[in-house]
Every structure is written in structure tokens, then in C-alpha cells.
mmCIF file of all heavy atoms in Angstrom:
data_model
loop_
_atom_site.group_PDB
_atom_site.id
_atom_site.type_symbol
_atom_site.label_atom_id
_atom_site.label_comp_id
_atom_site.label_asym_id
_atom_site.label_seq_id
_atom_site.Cartn_x
_atom_site.Cartn_y
_atom_site.Cartn_z
ATOM 1 N N ASN A 12 34.729 -17.489 -21.347
ATOM 2 C CA ASN A 12 36.136 -17.590 -21.782
ATOM 3 C C ASN A 12 37.123 -17.001 -20.711
ATOM 4 O O ASN A 12 38.340 -17.072 -20.862
ATOM 5 C CB ASN A 12 36.457 -16.933 -23.081
ATOM 6 C CG ASN A 12 35.893 -17.841 -24.236
ATOM 7 O OD1 ASN A 12 35.842 -19.097 -24.207
ATOM 8 N ND2 ASN A 12 35.428 -17.165 -25.352
ATOM 9 N N SER A 13 36.518 -16.385 -19.686
ATOM 10 C CA SER A 13 37.310 -15.868 -18.552
ATOM 11 C C SER A 13 38.387 -14.896 -18.991
ATOM 12 O O SER A 13 39.581 -15.122 -18.501
ATOM 13 C CB SER A 13 37.840 -17.050 -17.743
ATOM 14 O OG SER A 13 36.783 -17.834 -17.177
ATOM 15 N N ARG A 14 38.064 -13.940 -19.746
ATOM 16 C CA ARG A 14 39.098 -12.975 -20.199
ATOM 17 C C ARG A 14 38.365 -11.647 -20.564
ATOM 18 O O ARG A 14 37.157 -11.598 -20.622
ATOM 19 C CB ARG A 14 39.845 -13.524 -21.402
ATOM 20 C CG ARG A 14 38.948 -13.745 -22.637
ATOM 21 C CD ARG A 14 39.651 -14.480 -23.745
ATOM 22 N NE ARG A 14 38.759 -14.712 -24.845
ATOM 23 C CZ ARG A 14 39.047 -15.413 -25.968
ATOM 24 N NH1 ARG A 14 40.257 -15.978 -26.064
ATOM 25 N NH2 ARG A 14 38.170 -15.556 -26.903
ATOM 26 N N VAL A 15 39.216 -10.676 -20.823
ATOM 27 C CA VAL A 15 38.753 -9.390 -21.406
ATOM 28 C C VAL A 15 39.427 -9.291 -22.749
ATOM 29 O O VAL A 15 40.637 -9.527 -22.904
ATOM 30 C CB VAL A 15 39.163 -8.224 -20.521
ATOM 31 C CG1 VAL A 15 38.773 -6.853 -21.224
ATOM 32 C CG2 VAL A 15 38.465 -8.300 -19.179
ATOM 33 N N GLN A 16 38.689 -8.897 -23.795
ATOM 34 C CA GLN A 16 39.270 -8.656 -25.111
ATOM 35 C C GLN A 16 39.051 -7.154 -25.433
ATOM 36 O O GLN A 16 38.125 -6.557 -25.098
ATOM 37 C CB GLN A 16 38.584 -9.559 -26.145
ATOM 38 C CG GLN A 16 38.754 -11.025 -25.904
ATOM 39 C CD GLN A 16 38.377 -11.812 -27.194
ATOM 40 O OE1 GLN A 16 39.120 -11.794 -28.182
ATOM 41 N NE2 GLN A 16 37.309 -12.535 -27.132
ATOM 42 N N VAL A 17 40.045 -6.622 -26.234
ATOM 43 C CA VAL A 17 39.989 -5.220 -26.561
ATOM 44 C C VAL A 17 40.014 -5.146 -28.165
ATOM 45 O O VAL A 17 40.843 -5.886 -28.742
ATOM 46 C CB VAL A 17 41.219 -4.468 -25.974
ATOM 47 C CG1 VAL A 17 41.033 -2.955 -26.292
ATOM 48 C CG2 VAL A 17 41.339 -4.701 -24.478
ATOM 49 N N PHE A 18 39.183 -4.271 -28.666
ATOM 50 C CA PHE A 18 39.054 -4.067 -30.162
ATOM 51 C C PHE A 18 39.132 -2.594 -30.446
ATOM 52 O O PHE A 18 38.836 -1.762 -29.619
ATOM 53 C CB PHE A 18 37.727 -4.635 -30.671
ATOM 54 C CG PHE A 18 37.527 -6.112 -30.303
ATOM 55 C CD1 PHE A 18 37.073 -6.482 -29.048
ATOM 56 C CD2 PHE A 18 37.788 -7.087 -31.258
ATOM 57 C CE1 PHE A 18 36.826 -7.793 -28.758
ATOM 58 C CE2 PHE A 18 37.605 -8.411 -30.937
ATOM 59 C CZ PHE A 18 37.144 -8.824 -29.688
ATOM 60 N N ASP A 19 39.561 -2.307 -31.674
ATOM 61 C CA ASP A 19 39.553 -0.872 -32.051
ATOM 62 C C ASP A 19 38.109 -0.493 -32.456
ATOM 63 O O ASP A 19 37.227 -1.363 -32.428
ATOM 64 C CB ASP A 19 40.555 -0.552 -33.091
ATOM 65 C CG ASP A 19 40.280 -1.173 -34.465
ATOM 66 O OD1 ASP A 19 39.116 -1.657 -34.724
ATOM 67 O OD2 ASP A 19 41.136 -1.122 -35.362
ATOM 68 N N LYS A 20 37.910 0.781 -32.841
ATOM 69 C CA LYS A 20 36.543 1.228 -33.144
ATOM 70 C C LYS A 20 35.948 0.541 -34.368
ATOM 71 O O LYS A 20 34.666 0.618 -34.500
ATOM 72 C CB LYS A 20 36.557 2.726 -33.371
ATOM 73 C CG LYS A 20 37.362 3.217 -34.554
ATOM 74 C CD LYS A 20 37.346 4.716 -34.685
ATOM 75 C CE LYS A 20 38.145 5.206 -35.884
ATOM 76 N NZ LYS A 20 38.174 6.699 -35.921
ATOM 77 N N ASN A 21 36.724 -0.110 -35.181
ATOM 78 C CA ASN A 21 36.211 -0.869 -36.324
ATOM 79 C C ASN A 21 36.016 -2.337 -36.058
ATOM 80 O O ASN A 21 35.671 -3.122 -36.919
ATOM 81 C CB ASN A 21 37.162 -0.714 -37.519
ATOM 82 C CG ASN A 21 37.257 0.784 -37.913
ATOM 83 O OD1 ASN A 21 36.197 1.456 -38.088
ATOM 84 N ND2 ASN A 21 38.405 1.264 -38.140
ATOM 85 N N GLY A 22 36.192 -2.720 -34.819
ATOM 86 C CA GLY A 22 36.036 -4.138 -34.421
ATOM 87 C C GLY A 22 37.245 -5.028 -34.682
ATOM 88 O O GLY A 22 37.103 -6.257 -34.611
ATOM 89 N N ASN A 23 38.364 -4.475 -34.944
ATOM 90 C CA ASN A 23 39.586 -5.212 -35.136
ATOM 91 C C ASN A 23 40.190 -5.579 -33.753
ATOM 92 O O ASN A 23 40.360 -4.692 -32.926
ATOM 93 C CB ASN A 23 40.638 -4.424 -35.994
ATOM 94 C CG ASN A 23 40.120 -4.126 -37.326
ATOM 95 O OD1 ASN A 23 39.654 -4.960 -38.065
ATOM 96 N ND2 ASN A 23 40.099 -2.861 -37.677
ATOM 97 N N PHE A 24 40.578 -6.826 -33.646
ATOM 98 C CA PHE A 24 41.173 -7.306 -32.336
ATOM 99 C C PHE A 24 42.497 -6.584 -32.084
ATOM 100 O O PHE A 24 43.360 -6.471 -32.975
ATOM 101 C CB PHE A 24 41.360 -8.825 -32.380
ATOM 102 C CG PHE A 24 42.109 -9.376 -31.191
ATOM 103 C CD1 PHE A 24 41.441 -9.631 -29.990
ATOM 104 C CD2 PHE A 24 43.454 -9.618 -31.245
ATOM 105 C CE1 PHE A 24 42.112 -10.119 -28.926
ATOM 106 C CE2 PHE A 24 44.159 -10.089 -30.145
ATOM 107 C CZ PHE A 24 43.444 -10.402 -28.984
ATOM 108 N N LEU A 25 42.646 -6.174 -30.817
ATOM 109 C CA LEU A 25 43.912 -5.508 -30.363
ATOM 110 C C LEU A 25 44.680 -6.379 -29.325
ATOM 111 O O LEU A 25 45.829 -6.666 -29.548
ATOM 112 C CB LEU A 25 43.624 -4.137 -29.795
ATOM 113 C CG LEU A 25 43.043 -3.041 -30.696
ATOM 114 C CD1 LEU A 25 42.774 -1.818 -29.948
ATOM 115 C CD2 LEU A 25 44.012 -2.843 -31.851
ATOM 116 N N THR A 26 44.037 -6.802 -28.279
ATOM 117 C CA THR A 26 44.685 -7.544 -27.236
ATOM 118 C C THR A 26 43.643 -8.259 -26.370
ATOM 119 O O THR A 26 42.476 -8.034 -26.472
ATOM 120 C CB THR A 26 45.570 -6.571 -26.373
ATOM 121 O OG1 THR A 26 46.456 -7.429 -25.538
ATOM 122 C CG2 THR A 26 44.771 -5.703 -25.486
ATOM 123 N N ALA A 27 44.152 -9.106 -25.527
ATOM 124 C CA ALA A 27 43.322 -9.815 -24.574
ATOM 125 C C ALA A 27 44.064 -10.036 -23.289
ATOM 126 O O ALA A 27 45.308 -9.991 -23.225
ATOM 127 C CB ALA A 27 42.912 -11.222 -25.122
ATOM 128 N N TYR A 28 43.296 -10.200 -22.179
ATOM 129 C CA TYR A 28 43.920 -10.368 -20.884
ATOM 130 C C TYR A 28 43.027 -11.329 -20.046
ATOM 131 O O TYR A 28 41.855 -11.203 -20.052
ATOM 132 C CB TYR A 28 43.994 -9.069 -20.143
ATOM 133 C CG TYR A 28 44.604 -9.196 -18.736
ATOM 134 C CD1 TYR A 28 46.018 -9.124 -18.577
ATOM 135 C CD2 TYR A 28 43.844 -9.502 -17.620
ATOM 136 C CE1 TYR A 28 46.538 -9.260 -17.300
ATOM 137 C CE2 TYR A 28 44.401 -9.663 -16.335
ATOM 138 C CZ TYR A 28 45.741 -9.589 -16.172
ATOM 139 O OH TYR A 28 46.284 -9.733 -14.986
ATOM 140 N N GLY A 29 43.709 -12.313 -19.422
ATOM 141 C CA GLY A 29 42.990 -13.203 -18.540
ATOM 142 C C GLY A 29 43.009 -14.641 -18.988
ATOM 143 O O GLY A 29 43.096 -14.952 -20.199
ATOM 144 N N GLN A 30 42.939 -15.589 -18.043
ATOM 145 C CA GLN A 30 42.881 -16.993 -18.298
ATOM 146 C C GLN A 30 41.891 -17.626 -17.313
ATOM 147 O O GLN A 30 41.668 -17.084 -16.222
ATOM 148 C CB GLN A 30 44.229 -17.628 -18.128
ATOM 149 C CG GLN A 30 45.279 -17.165 -19.120
ATOM 150 C CD GLN A 30 46.646 -17.804 -18.859
ATOM 151 O OE1 GLN A 30 46.944 -18.307 -17.764
ATOM 152 N NE2 GLN A 30 47.457 -17.838 -19.898
ATOM 153 N N PRO A 31 41.361 -18.814 -17.653
ATOM 154 C CA PRO A 31 40.429 -19.503 -16.714
ATOM 155 C C PRO A 31 41.161 -19.935 -15.458
ATOM 156 O O PRO A 31 42.361 -20.314 -15.515
ATOM 157 C CB PRO A 31 39.958 -20.647 -17.510
ATOM 158 C CG PRO A 31 40.158 -20.332 -18.964
ATOM 159 C CD PRO A 31 41.395 -19.425 -18.962
ATOM 160 N N ALA A 32 40.489 -19.883 -14.313
ATOM 161 C CA ALA A 32 40.956 -20.460 -13.087
ATOM 162 C C ALA A 32 41.185 -21.978 -13.289
ATOM 163 O O ALA A 32 40.320 -22.610 -13.920
ATOM 164 C CB ALA A 32 40.035 -20.135 -11.954
ATOM 165 N N VAL A 33 42.261 -22.547 -12.696
ATOM 166 C CA VAL A 33 42.539 -23.949 -12.810
ATOM 167 C C VAL A 33 42.786 -24.558 -11.405
ATOM 168 O O VAL A 33 43.172 -23.874 -10.509
ATOM 169 C CB VAL A 33 43.690 -24.219 -13.756
ATOM 170 C CG1 VAL A 33 43.365 -23.778 -15.183
ATOM 171 C CG2 VAL A 33 44.993 -23.547 -13.236
ATOM 172 N N ASN A 34 42.627 -25.853 -11.340
ATOM 173 C CA ASN A 34 42.901 -26.626 -10.093
ATOM 174 C C ASN A 34 44.373 -27.010 -10.129
ATOM 175 O O ASN A 34 45.117 -26.760 -11.055
ATOM 176 C CB ASN A 34 41.966 -27.742 -9.913
ATOM 177 C CG ASN A 34 41.981 -28.797 -10.984
ATOM 178 O OD1 ASN A 34 42.986 -28.918 -11.720
ATOM 179 N ND2 ASN A 34 40.917 -29.545 -11.149
ATOM 180 N N ALA A 35 44.764 -27.782 -9.132
ATOM 181 C CA ALA A 35 46.156 -28.239 -8.990
ATOM 182 C C ALA A 35 46.576 -29.154 -10.194
ATOM 183 O O ALA A 35 47.782 -29.236 -10.438
ATOM 184 C CB ALA A 35 46.301 -28.955 -7.663
ATOM 185 N N SER A 36 45.605 -29.768 -10.827
ATOM 186 C CA SER A 36 45.924 -30.611 -11.987
ATOM 187 C C SER A 36 45.919 -29.835 -13.338
ATOM 188 O O SER A 36 46.126 -30.468 -14.344
ATOM 189 C CB SER A 36 44.944 -31.806 -12.060
ATOM 190 O OG SER A 36 45.018 -32.543 -10.889
ATOM 191 N N GLY A 37 45.672 -28.589 -13.191
ATOM 192 C CA GLY A 37 45.656 -27.769 -14.456
ATOM 193 C C GLY A 37 44.294 -27.785 -15.121
ATOM 194 O O GLY A 37 44.192 -27.246 -16.273
ATOM 195 N N GLN A 38 43.318 -28.398 -14.548
ATOM 196 C CA GLN A 38 41.992 -28.389 -15.192
ATOM 197 C C GLN A 38 41.201 -27.108 -14.854
ATOM 198 O O GLN A 38 41.304 -26.606 -13.743
ATOM 199 C CB GLN A 38 41.202 -29.639 -14.711
ATOM 200 C CG GLN A 38 41.860 -30.963 -15.046
ATOM 201 C CD GLN A 38 41.227 -32.123 -14.338
ATOM 202 O OE1 GLN A 38 40.825 -32.077 -13.171
ATOM 203 N NE2 GLN A 38 41.071 -33.217 -15.099
ATOM 204 N N ILE A 39 40.399 -26.658 -15.832
ATOM 205 C CA ILE A 39 39.594 -25.471 -15.611
ATOM 206 C C ILE A 39 38.569 -25.740 -14.509
ATOM 207 O O ILE A 39 37.862 -26.742 -14.538
ATOM 208 C CB ILE A 39 38.927 -25.004 -16.897
ATOM 209 C CG1 ILE A 39 40.008 -24.576 -17.964
ATOM 210 C CG2 ILE A 39 37.945 -23.922 -16.667
ATOM 211 C CD1 ILE A 39 39.427 -24.218 -19.262
ATOM 212 N N VAL A 40 38.486 -24.779 -13.554
ATOM 213 C CA VAL A 40 37.511 -24.867 -12.459
ATOM 214 C C VAL A 40 36.147 -24.508 -12.979
ATOM 215 O O VAL A 40 35.979 -23.421 -13.521
ATOM 216 C CB VAL A 40 37.900 -23.951 -11.287
ATOM 217 C CG1 VAL A 40 36.917 -24.075 -10.208
ATOM 218 C CG2 VAL A 40 39.309 -24.238 -10.800
ATOM 219 N N PRO A 41 35.091 -25.374 -12.833
ATOM 220 C CA PRO A 41 33.810 -25.045 -13.315
ATOM 221 C C PRO A 41 33.097 -24.017 -12.430
ATOM 222 O O PRO A 41 33.517 -23.829 -11.254
ATOM 223 C CB PRO A 41 33.062 -26.380 -13.287
ATOM 224 C CG PRO A 41 33.729 -27.139 -12.145
ATOM 225 C CD PRO A 41 35.193 -26.692 -12.228
ATOM 226 N N PRO A 42 32.052 -23.367 -12.947
ATOM 227 C CA PRO A 42 31.292 -22.469 -12.073
ATOM 228 C C PRO A 42 30.552 -23.223 -11.023
ATOM 229 O O PRO A 42 30.332 -24.443 -11.188
ATOM 230 C CB PRO A 42 30.396 -21.734 -13.060
ATOM 231 C CG PRO A 42 30.233 -22.696 -14.190
ATOM 232 C CD PRO A 42 31.587 -23.357 -14.325
ATOM 233 N N PRO A 43 30.194 -22.556 -9.950
ATOM 234 C CA PRO A 43 29.515 -23.323 -8.837
ATOM 235 C C PRO A 43 28.036 -23.605 -9.156
ATOM 236 O O PRO A 43 27.503 -23.001 -10.100
ATOM 237 C CB PRO A 43 29.602 -22.353 -7.698
ATOM 238 C CG PRO A 43 29.594 -21.029 -8.356
ATOM 239 C CD PRO A 43 30.354 -21.176 -9.601
ATOM 240 N N ALA A 44 27.504 -24.534 -8.489
ATOM 241 C CA ALA A 44 26.062 -24.868 -8.594
ATOM 242 C C ALA A 44 25.195 -23.716 -8.097
ATOM 243 O O ALA A 44 25.651 -22.974 -7.162
ATOM 244 C CB ALA A 44 25.710 -26.133 -7.806
ATOM 245 N N LEU A 45 24.025 -23.524 -8.670
ATOM 246 C CA LEU A 45 23.161 -22.445 -8.260
ATOM 247 C C LEU A 45 22.746 -22.492 -6.791
ATOM 248 O O LEU A 45 22.487 -21.455 -6.225
ATOM 249 C CB LEU A 45 21.969 -22.361 -9.211
ATOM 250 C CG LEU A 45 22.227 -21.916 -10.670
ATOM 251 C CD1 LEU A 45 20.948 -21.959 -11.440
ATOM 252 C CD2 LEU A 45 22.791 -20.488 -10.641
ATOM 253 N N ASP A 46 22.694 -23.720 -6.269
ATOM 254 C CA ASP A 46 22.151 -23.859 -4.906
ATOM 255 C C ASP A 46 23.277 -23.929 -3.906
ATOM 256 O O ASP A 46 23.049 -24.218 -2.719
ATOM 257 C CB ASP A 46 21.259 -25.074 -4.842
ATOM 258 C CG ASP A 46 21.954 -26.406 -5.219
ATOM 259 O OD1 ASP A 46 23.087 -26.294 -5.721
ATOM 260 O OD2 ASP A 46 21.333 -27.479 -5.085
ATOM 261 N N GLY A 47 24.503 -23.653 -4.317
ATOM 262 C CA GLY A 47 25.632 -23.711 -3.386
ATOM 263 C C GLY A 47 26.303 -22.379 -3.215
ATOM 264 O O GLY A 47 25.786 -21.331 -3.660
ATOM 265 N N PRO A 48 27.433 -22.325 -2.510
ATOM 266 C CA PRO A 48 28.225 -21.047 -2.357
ATOM 267 C C PRO A 48 28.619 -20.472 -3.721
ATOM 268 O O PRO A 48 28.821 -21.277 -4.692
ATOM 269 C CB PRO A 48 29.420 -21.532 -1.550
ATOM 270 C CG PRO A 48 29.007 -22.774 -0.851
ATOM 271 C CD PRO A 48 28.082 -23.432 -1.793
ATOM 272 N N PRO A 49 28.651 -19.193 -3.870
ATOM 273 C CA PRO A 49 28.858 -18.596 -5.151
ATOM 274 C C PRO A 49 30.311 -18.524 -5.616
ATOM 275 O O PRO A 49 30.766 -17.534 -6.232
ATOM 276 C CB PRO A 49 28.297 -17.170 -4.941
ATOM 277 C CG PRO A 49 28.567 -16.861 -3.532
ATOM 278 C CD PRO A 49 28.409 -18.166 -2.799
ATOM 279 N N TYR A 50 31.050 -19.548 -5.295
ATOM 280 C CA TYR A 50 32.509 -19.559 -5.604
ATOM 281 C C TYR A 50 32.839 -20.894 -6.308
ATOM 282 O O TYR A 50 32.285 -21.934 -6.023
ATOM 283 C CB TYR A 50 33.365 -19.400 -4.346
ATOM 284 C CG TYR A 50 33.055 -18.193 -3.506
ATOM 285 C CD1 TYR A 50 32.811 -18.351 -2.138
ATOM 286 C CD2 TYR A 50 33.003 -16.950 -4.083
ATOM 287 C CE1 TYR A 50 32.486 -17.236 -1.361
ATOM 288 C CE2 TYR A 50 32.718 -15.824 -3.277
ATOM 289 C CZ TYR A 50 32.481 -15.953 -1.944
ATOM 290 O OH TYR A 50 32.217 -14.872 -1.174
ATOM 291 N N GLY A 51 33.816 -20.780 -7.212
ATOM 292 C CA GLY A 51 34.403 -21.973 -7.780
ATOM 293 C C GLY A 51 35.222 -22.717 -6.728
ATOM 294 O O GLY A 51 35.672 -22.171 -5.758
ATOM 295 N N ASN A 52 35.350 -24.030 -6.931
ATOM 296 C CA ASN A 52 36.039 -24.851 -5.952
ATOM 297 C C ASN A 52 37.040 -25.794 -6.696
ATOM 298 O O ASN A 52 36.597 -26.652 -7.434
ATOM 299 C CB ASN A 52 35.115 -25.695 -5.145
ATOM 300 C CG ASN A 52 35.789 -26.492 -4.021
ATOM 301 O OD1 ASN A 52 36.914 -26.203 -3.730
ATOM 302 N ND2 ASN A 52 35.090 -27.489 -3.517
ATOM 303 N N PRO A 53 38.368 -25.542 -6.546
ATOM 304 C CA PRO A 53 38.976 -24.573 -5.640
ATOM 305 C C PRO A 53 39.066 -23.160 -6.282
ATOM 306 O O PRO A 53 38.817 -22.973 -7.448
ATOM 307 C CB PRO A 53 40.382 -25.097 -5.492
ATOM 308 C CG PRO A 53 40.654 -25.732 -6.819
ATOM 309 C CD PRO A 53 39.407 -26.332 -7.281
ATOM 310 N N LEU A 54 39.422 -22.180 -5.414
ATOM 311 C CA LEU A 54 39.685 -20.827 -5.872
ATOM 312 C C LEU A 54 41.093 -20.800 -6.490
ATOM 313 O O LEU A 54 42.029 -21.537 -6.068
ATOM 314 C CB LEU A 54 39.548 -19.834 -4.786
ATOM 315 C CG LEU A 54 38.168 -19.694 -4.090
ATOM 316 C CD1 LEU A 54 38.318 -18.858 -2.857
ATOM 317 C CD2 LEU A 54 37.257 -18.945 -5.080
ATOM 318 N N ASP A 55 41.298 -20.022 -7.483
ATOM 319 C CA ASP A 55 42.604 -19.734 -8.108
ATOM 320 C C ASP A 55 42.803 -18.215 -8.183
ATOM 321 O O ASP A 55 42.367 -17.619 -9.164
ATOM 322 C CB ASP A 55 42.643 -20.354 -9.530
ATOM 323 C CG ASP A 55 44.028 -20.214 -10.156
ATOM 324 O OD1 ASP A 55 44.857 -19.587 -9.559
ATOM 325 O OD2 ASP A 55 44.185 -20.692 -11.302
#
């Protein structure tokens, strides 16, 4: 989900930060193939 979530000690949701990387069309950039460079294409 490409984010960090924060909860209190009882597991109640407090806040979240982060969004998925997207390309110029606003589509989520998928993770790279295992046999290729270790970066999404394109980088955001």
C-alpha cells in the first residue's frame, strides 16, 4: 500500500503517511521484475 500507518497501543488507527508512486498518467508504478534493475519505471 506504499505508506506508513500509525496506531495507538490498543491498535486504534491514528494517522497515515505516503502514497504510491505514479507515472505521468497517474497510474500506479508497478514493482520491477526480479531479473531487472531494482527500481520502478518510471521513478516518482
Side-chain angles (χ1 to χ4, degrees):
N12 285 328
S13 297
R14 64 188 177 186
V15 175
Q16 297 195 71
V17 187
F18 303 83
D19 71 13
K20 64 182 180 181
N21 297 312
N23 299 305
F24 173 82
L25 295 178
T26 191
Y28 180 89
Q30 295 179 338
V33 296
N34 61 22
S36 301
Q38 298 172 317
I39 293 176
V40 180
L45 289 176
D46 58 354
Y50 305 127
N52 186 16
L54 295 168
D55 182 358

